[in-house]
Amino acid sequence: MKKVLIVGGGISGLSAGVFSRLNGFDTEIFEAQAKPGGECTSWKRKDYIFDGAIRWLIGTKKGTAAYDMFKTLGAFEDDKIVVEEIFLTVEHNGKKLYFYRDVDKLKEHLLEVAPEDTEMIKELCKFAKKAKSFETPVDKHMPEMTIFDNIKFSMKMSSMGPIMMKYGKVDGIDYFKKFKSTLIRNALKTLALDTFPAYAPIALLGTVVSYDGGWPLGGSAGVSDNICNKFKELGGTIHLSSPVKRVIQENGKAVGIELDNGQVVKGDYVISSTDISITLNKLLEGKIKDEAYNEILNSNSGEYTFASCVFVSLGIAADLSEDVSPLVVSLNKELKIGNDLIGDIYVNTFKHEKSFTPEGKTAAVVTMDVYDYNYWKKLYDTDVNKYKSEKERIAKAIIEQIEIIYPKAKGNIEVAEVATPVTYNRIYGAYKGAWMGYGRKVSAKYRNHKCKLEGIDNFALAGQWISSPGAVTISASTGKFAVQEICKQADIKFRS
Ligand SMILES: Cc1cc2nc3c(=O)[nH]c(=O)nc-3n(C[C@H](O)[C@H](O)[C@H](O)COP(=O)(O)OP(=O)(O)OC[C@H]3O[C@@H](n4cnc5c(N)ncnc54)[C@H](O)[C@@H]3O)c2cc1C
């Protein structure tokens, strides 16, 4: 039996593991951390489990291709998906806006709350209805699609046509400016960052109003553990706390890996699912030069962006399960962090998760999107005390705000911990702390990368860096695409 070695046990590596086993390869995964899942994870502090990733998961809706993929991966059980009628609440200056999943109700409500945006709201809701059929391509990687595949996919997505005609060449930031209401702008930014193309928030709103994008009970770590268990059930082996030093290359072929501890493991094929900078610079020792990644990672044109986040975990000794969540709320006073000015925060108390805390307690998380990685890196490298005190300053500001939003939290905060872009880099190797690969302007040349990396055979790439903008569903699909590539190189037919 031919052997596949997978570097990285995040969602994409685990998915590659399952598809590799389903295609009959002897398969081993090597993960640097002590837990599987990579960024799709949670962590425990005192009584509290803090969920580190999923806000919503595309592919929880039966009948979609992503759902079928997740079923193959064993990612969740059908009766453990929560789909709330109010997807998100947004608050600004005491005014509230509810993002309903029922698109007619949503339209009526938005028109009431933001009459100044009547024309844009009508268009948004019309397009959201059309985008209900939008699906992330999970069966075949876009760069591998034949003309026939492209025609088939375009026909399936035909209702997206008018959206792409109007907004296919518009950047998110310019689209958001068309809305006068801060409430609506903040809501759209939560669906897709303003550094993504304009059609992204519309397409994602389409999935929301089609009742996809639910919450899998057990959260991010639950999804990762389920896929990992499926991989093991299929006979795969995962090695945790096993950082890989390099991919061994002989005559232009990957023939094995060497771990940081010097252990050598031979294999017929290697899949790297790590952050792309780790793959190119560490694992492949800078020997492979790739034009696309060279431009994406090094261009200063602003065409590619690397959103990271400052993530505050708050253990609250109070029951907030009846209070509003998830919530995007404007701060009373903007928070300056390096060159980033934070005007609003995303808060989630995971009110459906009984397993995250003992009864009567709440594990809340607050996230802020930031781009100034160098600010944190410099603090961390030059003055750890300043780095720590900056984290404390942020925790204090966020706690003050949380105590206003949730008065029951006042005086009851038992855990407060701040993760920064440097945390994501240190733990997962994330380039500039990026939590979803790269964002791109519509003018950017590169959007996807083939799993094949020119210059090395018997090797394939997986992970959020081969398909912008990343996220769990896309990462999972790239694991499948990487195994399709390995099957192609092995000259065998891929079975899903
Ligand atoms: C705050 C936050 C919110 C998010 N919200 C959502 C959401 O609502 N919905 C959604 O779909 N997605 C969300 N995401 C994004 C999603 O979690 C990621 O896109 C996805 O988990 C990335 O998976 P991956 O396998 O591509 O990469 P990673 O998770 O980065 O996996 C790479 C793995 O490689 C390992 N590794 C690195 N170097 C080595 C080495 N030398 N040897 C061995 N192993 C190595 C790392 O430890 C890691 O486990 C969120 C992420 C964050 C951080």
Side-chain angles (χ1 to χ4, degrees):
M1 199 190 292
K2 296 270 186 195
K3 187 166 190 168
V4 172
L5 307 175
I6 299 170
V7 187
I11 287 292
S12 58
L14 295 170
S15 163
V18 170
F19 284 106
S20 177
R21 284 299 302 136
L22 289 174
N23 280 276
F25 294 104
D26 183 9
T27 312
E28 293 185 41
I29 298 177
F30 297 82
E31 164 55 43
Q33 294 301 316
K35 277 172 81 166
E39 288 185 354
C40 190
T41 191
S42 65
W43 50 90
K44 189 161 197 257
R45 299 286 182 270
K46 295 187 179 167
D47 273 347
Y48 303 88
I49 292 174
F50 295 105
D51 196 284
I54 298 174
R55 297 169 176 184
W56 62 87
L57 183 65
I58 293 174
T60 54
K61 186 183 168 190
K62 273 188 191 163
T64 62
Y67 171 88
D68 292 342
M69 174 187 70
F70 280 130
K71 284 285 108 178
T72 305
L73 294 173
F76 49 75
E77 287 168 36
D78 291 343
D79 60 351
K80 299 223 168 101
I81 297 296
V82 179
V83 182
E84 280 206 289
E85 183 52 45
I86 295 178
F87 168 73
L88 180 72
T89 302
V90 191
E91 206 177 313
H92 177 69
N93 283 346
K95 246 173 135 183
K96 274 201 177 114
L97 180 151
Y98 303 102
F99 253 68
Y100 293 102
R101 288 189 188 258
D102 176 330
V103 67
D104 295 322
K105 200 167 168 185
L106 174 68
K107 181 175 158 191
E108 199 181 309
H109 175 64
L110 294 183
L111 288 171
E112 228 174 74
V113 176
E116 66 275 28
D117 285 321
T118 296
E119 288 315 310
M120 286 306 292
I121 290 169
K122 283 184 181 163
E123 184 192 77
L124 175 68
C125 293
K126 182 179 86 184
F127 280 170
K129 269 188 190 174
K130 289 190 183 296
K132 275 185 181 184
S133 63
F134 171 77
E135 284 200 31
T136 304
V138 297
D139 291 328
K140 206 164 183 183
H141 195 23
M142 284 188 112
E144 300 294 342
M145 284 189 184
T146 60
I147 294 178
F148 176 69
D149 294 327
N150 268 314
I151 294 172
K152 214 169 113 191
F153 186 68
S154 306
M155 280 168 67
K156 203 172 165 196
M157 296 291 117
S158 61
S159 61
M160 285 291 290
I163 302 166
M164 297 309 287
M165 290 275 283
K166 183 146 189 195
Y167 290 117
K169 298 240 175 313
V170 176
D171 286 315
I173 193 154
D174 297 324
Y175 176 62
F176 290 4
K177 278 184 201 151
K178 292 176 186 284
F179 291 88
K180 296 184 187 77
S181 159
T182 307
L183 281 166
I184 297 186
R185 282 202 307 270
N186 285 354
L188 292 175
K189 205 171 63 182
T190 308
L191 285 169
L193 295 170
D194 57 6
T195 44
F196 293 173
Y199 60 83
I202 303 173
L204 286 168
L205 184 58
T207 62
V208 167
V209 300
S210 75
Y211 289 78
D212 196 351
W215 168 257
L217 286 173
S220 302
V223 167
S224 296
D225 287 345
N226 288 342
I227 303 177
C228 188
N229 289 337
K230 177 80 185 201
F231 170 64
K232 289 195 273 193
E233 271 165 40
L234 289 168
T237 306
I238 182 162
H239 305 269
L240 300 171
S241 305
S242 301
V244 175
K245 184 173 167 194
R246 67 184 182 108
V247 173
I248 304 169
Q249 303 173 55
E250 280 174 14
N251 304 321
K253 281 187 182 164
V255 295
I257 55 171
E258 181 185 345
L259 272 61
D260 275 5
N261 66 10
Q263 188 192 341
V264 167
V265 185
K266 291 285 186 175
D268 299 288
Y269 300 96
V270 176
I271 293 175
S272 179
S273 73
T274 69
D275 182 277
I276 194 65
S277 64
I278 301 275
T279 299
L280 293 174
N281 300 328
K282 178 177 173 174
L283 302 177
L284 298 174
E285 302 167 291
K287 289 178 186 162
I288 308 287
K289 303 286 172 215
D290 183 85
E291 193 189 314
Y293 286 127
N294 187 36
E295 179 169 327
I296 292 167
L297 301 179
N298 301 314
S299 141
N300 288 322
S301 63
E303 294 208 301
Y304 301 97
T305 44
F306 310 97
S308 186
C309 72
V310 172
F311 190 109
V312 185
S313 311
L314 295 174
I316 306 172
D319 180 0
L320 303 182
S321 58
E322 298 299 318
D323 294 73
V324 60
S325 164
L327 173 72
V328 172
V329 60
S330 297
L331 294 172
N332 285 356
K333 196 168 153 238
E334 283 179 325
L335 189 58
K336 188 158 176 8
I337 308 178
N339 283 324
D340 291 300
L341 197 58
I342 310 297
D344 52 282
I345 53 176
Y346 172 87
V347 188
N348 199 336
T349 61
F350 303 99
K351 54 188 182 182
H352 303 289
E353 280 296 348
K354 303 290 172 228
S355 62
F356 282 8
T357 60
E359 221 182 309
K361 296 195 174 190
T362 304
V365 306
V366 176
T367 53
M368 292 158 267
D369 300 319
V370 294
Y371 292 86
D372 191 357
Y373 176 73
N374 289 341
Y375 171 70
W376 287 104
K377 179 77 179 134
K378 198 170 158 206
L379 277 184
Y380 185 80
D381 286 348
T382 58
D383 192 339
V384 170
N385 286 333
K386 261 197 191 156
Y387 176 78
K388 282 186 185 154
S389 62
E390 179 61 343
K391 293 209 295 183
E392 280 161 17
R393 178 183 75 93
I394 291 168
K396 190 166 170 270
I398 294 303
I399 288 171
E400 274 170 26
Q401 192 75 41
I402 288 294
E403 289 179 343
I404 295 170
I405 307 169
Y406 304 112
K408 278 184 271 177
K410 201 165 175 57
N412 284 320
I413 297 188
E414 300 183 317
V415 176
E417 195 174 282
V418 178
T420 76
V422 170
T423 317
Y424 289 101
N425 178 265
R426 280 194 307 119
I427 299 183
Y428 309 113
Y431 180 73
K432 295 197 174 178
W435 55 284
M436 283 220 317
Y438 61 97
R440 61 181 181 94
K441 284 193 163 178
V442 288
S443 54
K445 185 170 170 193
Y446 300 107
R447 171 186 180 183
N448 295 299
H449 194 289
K450 288 186 169 191
C451 295
K452 167 90 182 134
L453 196 55
E454 290 308 327
I456 178 164
D457 290 334
N458 295 14
F459 179 86
L461 295 171
Q464 56 188 351
W465 289 88
I466 70 162
S467 190
S468 172
V472 170
T473 311
I474 288 180
S475 285
S477 70
T478 67
K480 180 177 177 179
F481 303 152
V483 175
Q484 287 172 342
E485 172 61 28
I486 294 296
C487 287
K488 193 162 117 190
Q489 294 184 24
D491 205 15
I492 59 170
K493 196 170 167 2
F494 173 80
R495 295 191 305 260
S496 62

